[in-house]
Structure formats: structure tokens, C-alpha cells
Amino acid sequence: MFWILAISIALVAALLIASPLLRRGEEDVTARPNDAEVYRDQLSEIESDEKSGLIDGESAGQARAEIARRLIAASQDAPRKSSLLRRRQAVMLAVVLCLVVPAGAVALYSHAGLPDEPDFPLRARFESPQPDSNILIRRVELRLEEHPEDGRGWEILAPVYLKRGQVAESVNAWRNAIKYLGADARRYGGLAETLVVSSKGRVDVEARDAFTKILELVPGDPRARFYLALAEAQDGKADAAIAALEALKKASDPAAPWMEVTDAQIERIRAEKEQAAKAPGHPTQDDVAAAADMSDEDRTQMIRTMVESLDARLADDPQNFEGWKRLLRSYVMLQDPAKATEALKRALAAFPADSDNGKALISDAKELGISLEGVTE
């Protein structure tokens, strides 16, 4: 039954492909070769030569007769030969498509395929003693639908989901694993790192909490120390971040696998710190010294003036990413949510929400508690 169906489908497909070729062969019957046009041109040339006196009338008549004979032959015999040749080519190609290709496909499948194997429906795949990985994953998922309290099942699925690119599902699986199996440094580590992947490299509040839990369970854990240092840098505390990373280097073996990435992050944070120092609105040493002797009210007014100056400069220099980050934090510090939201809208006009910088701005805004309503629409 399988072979009859397969061959029938192959033949129908081949006929559908070959039918235009057969029609084209029929259309070619009316085609005319180029020889007839050449002979007609020669007749015109003889007439022109006779009028100009290059040849006499008798020679011209003989030449006309010979060319006329050839013209008649070219007009009658050659078209039939040409169209016949083209039609034969079309038929041969149609035969190849209708017979040779399907026959070759059948021969190849009979050699390399499994024509004698029985059907393998989905239910049989689930019951197979050696199912593939997708079936195994689905088995666990089906069990968790009936027994969501199975923490071990969630723990198995979490890293699998991450490898498959299902980041949100992986985060949920790690949360459930911790919920049902309890606190464990490895589970918190899986959750935290998956959260970092989910937020495009940023260490959000939940990830920080998870890394802090790891340090409570395993004091000095290098992975947790590394990511918490990055969180300090994301908060604008470059000096604290560099100090934490330097401390991690000092406490680690020089051959530790994380040393190279730690050095790279120290260089990056230092470079960003230097760039931020050049950004508009950054207080000078004189500003800091003057603020130390001010009253709280005067100090707040000085800060507000600096923030307004930064805001005005960003209108002229909207591509200053660090400036926008500082402006958002400044308005939150001044407890001015309306201006913070308005600044975020302008920042996202310069750095679209789907860009890396735009995503970083939105992540900062979430952590700062800035309303996103109507901002990313």
C-alpha cells in the first residue's frame, strides 16, 4: 500500500512538472528558422546590385532562381525539422521527469530508507524503551502537568530549556525546583545565571537576591562575587565594582578559568567610568567640595540645577547613553517620577527599545521604579 501511494504521488508530481514542457513543444511547430530571413535579404541585395549595374540581368535571374529554391526549402523543411527536434527534446525531458526521477527516488529509498519498517505513531514513540530526547522532555512535562510539586522534574527540565533557548521556561523551572526542593547553591546559581541571560546580561533584582543566597550557602563563591560586582557597576558604583573584582582576583588561583573574564570586566568598567566622567552634568571636584558645606535645601537645589543642565545638554547630544542613564537616576533621586518617565521616552527615541542600549535603559527604569506605561508603545 505504501509503495502504491508513494509511486502515485511521484508520478502525479512529475506529470504536473512535465506538462508545460509538452505544451511548449507543440507551440514550437510555428517557429521559423533564421535561414529564410537570410535568403530574403539576399534577394533584396541582388535586386539592389542589378539596379546599380554591378551584375547583369541574366546573372541576376539565375541567382534569384537559386536563392528562391533555397528559400522554399528553408520555409518548408527546416521548420519541421526544428520543431520536431524541439518536440523530441521536450518529450525526452518529460520522460525523464515522469519515469527516471521517480524510479531513481524509489531505488534510493529502497536502498537507504526503511520501507519494511512498521508505522511508528506518537503513542508508540512514548512507549519505546529508547525514545529520543524530545519524547523524554515531553514525558517529564506531561508528568509535571499532573504533579507540579515534583521538584526533581523541574530541576531536570531547567537546564534543558536553557540549552533549547527557552529562557523564560528555564527561569520558571528553576523557581519551581527551589520552591519544591529547597535552598541549594546549585539551584540558585542556575536561576541567577538564567535570569542574567533573560535580561541580556544585566543583573536584575531577582538575580542579585539569588547570588546573595549563594554566598550565604557557599561563602566566597567566585561566580556569585563576580556577578554581584557587575551589579555594582550597573548601579553606577564603578569604584565598588572594581574593588570587588580586584578582591576576587586576589582570592583566586591565577590559573582559575574566570581570571580572564574578570580582567576584561575591570578594564571595561574603568573605561566606562572615564567616559562617564566626561558626560555632561557630571559634578567636578569643586562641586563636591562646595556641596559639603551646604544645607540640605541648598544641596538639593544645586543637584536639581545640575540635573536640569544635564537634561538640557542631552537635548543637544541625544546619543550620550551614559548621560541618559544618569538623568533617569537623578530624577528618581529627586523624587520626580513624571520627569523620569518623560526622560525615558526621549532616551528611547535616541536608543530604540529593541536595541541593546534601549533594553538596558528599560531594565534600569524597571529597577528604579520608573513607570513604563505608554513609554514603549
Side-chain angles (χ1 to χ4, degrees):
M1 181 63 184
F2 167 78
W3 286 110
I4 296 174
L5 181 61
I7 294 173
S8 299
I9 293 174
L11 286 174
V12 169
L15 286 170
L16 290 174
I17 297 173
S19 58
L21 296 172
L22 297 175
R23 287 197 298 271
R24 181 176 295 276
E26 294 171 359
E27 293 168 359
D28 286 341
V29 173
T30 59
R32 292 291 184 270
N34 292 329
D35 289 350
E37 295 297 330
V38 172
Y39 294 144
R40 290 190 182 95
D41 290 340
Q42 289 179 351
L43 287 173
S44 298
E45 291 175 3
I46 290 172
E47 184 177 355
S48 177
D49 291 343
E50 184 181 9
K51 289 180 179 179
S52 62
L54 294 176
I55 58 175
D56 56 32
E58 183 178 356
S59 298
Q62 293 175 352
R64 286 194 189 94
E66 177 61 24
I67 293 175
R69 184 184 63 79
R70 295 180 182 179
L71 176 58
I72 292 171
S75 300
Q76 295 178 352
D77 298 336
R80 288 196 294 271
K81 292 179 181 178
S82 176
S83 62
L84 180 60
L85 179 60
R86 293 179 184 176
R87 181 164 179 77
R88 284 177 179 174
Q89 291 174 340
V91 171
M92 288 177 64
L93 182 56
V95 169
V96 170
L97 290 174
C98 293
L99 298 179
V100 178
V101 172
V106 170
L108 179 62
Y109 179 75
S110 64
H111 174 72
L114 299 172
D116 297 326
E117 287 294 316
D119 293 341
F120 198 23
L122 184 60
R123 181 176 296 278
R125 297 179 195 180
F126 270 90
E127 297 172 355
S128 172
Q130 294 181 332
D132 62 27
S133 60
N134 292 322
I135 296 298
L136 290 173
I137 293 170
R138 188 55 186 155
R139 280 183 181 177
V140 178
E141 290 175 336
L142 290 174
R143 172 172 172 75
L144 288 172
E145 289 178 6
E146 297 180 0
H147 303 281
E149 74 286 354
D150 182 6
R152 180 58 181 159
W154 292 114
E155 190 172 35
I156 290 172
L157 284 181
V160 174
Y161 279 146
L162 184 60
K163 288 181 181 179
R164 291 160 62 104
Q166 298 173 260
V167 182
E169 290 83 351
S170 180
V171 169
N172 181 64
W174 279 122
R175 288 171 179 162
N176 285 325
I178 293 171
K179 176 181 178 180
Y180 295 114
L181 296 179
D184 176 88
R186 189 180 67 82
R187 295 179 197 120
Y188 273 119
L191 172 62
E193 290 195 319
T194 306
L195 287 167
V196 172
V197 173
S198 177
S199 59
K200 310 298 182 183
R202 296 190 61 78
V203 186
D204 61 19
V205 175
E206 187 179 1
R208 295 182 199 194
D209 291 342
F211 284 124
T212 301
K213 290 285 187 181
I214 294 173
L215 288 180
E216 293 175 0
L217 296 166
V218 184
D221 182 88
R223 175 178 55 175
R225 294 177 65 181
F226 174 82
Y227 279 107
L228 288 174
L230 295 188
E232 294 282 9
Q234 291 167 7
D235 283 341
K237 303 174 183 177
D239 292 334
I242 293 172
L245 291 173
E246 292 285 5
L248 174 59
K249 284 183 59 180
K250 186 175 180 180
S252 302
D253 187 312
W258 56 83
M259 293 296 282
E260 183 177 351
V261 68
T262 300
D263 287 334
Q265 290 299 321
I266 290 174
E267 293 181 9
R268 180 187 65 80
I269 295 170
R270 282 176 175 161
E272 290 182 355
K273 178 184 176 184
E274 293 176 2
Q275 181 184 3
K278 299 175 184 178
H282 193 276
T284 64
Q285 293 296 328
D286 292 339
D287 293 331
V288 175
D293 298 329
M294 291 181 177
S295 64
D296 291 343
E297 183 178 351
D298 290 341
R299 187 180 299 110
T300 299
Q301 183 57 44
M302 186 193 79
I303 294 173
R304 185 174 294 278
T305 300
M306 293 178 63
V307 172
E308 291 174 352
S309 174
L310 170 61
D311 197 335
R313 293 185 186 184
L314 286 172
D316 298 326
D317 182 20
Q319 295 301 313
N320 191 317
F321 176 65
E322 293 297 326
W324 285 114
K325 291 175 65 177
R326 182 174 296 107
L327 184 64
L328 295 179
R329 293 184 181 278
S330 298
Y331 277 132
V332 171
M333 182 186 67
L334 292 172
Q335 298 182 357
D336 197 336
K339 285 192 174 181
T341 300
E342 192 271 337
L344 178 60
K345 288 182 180 179
R346 290 188 287 126
L348 292 177
F351 300 98
D354 57 353
S355 66
D356 289 341
N357 284 340
K359 291 175 182 176
L361 288 169
I362 292 174
S363 179
D364 278 354
K366 289 179 180 178
E367 293 183 20
L368 293 170
I370 299 174
S371 174
L372 300 179
E373 185 177 355
V375 172
T376 57
E377 293 180 353

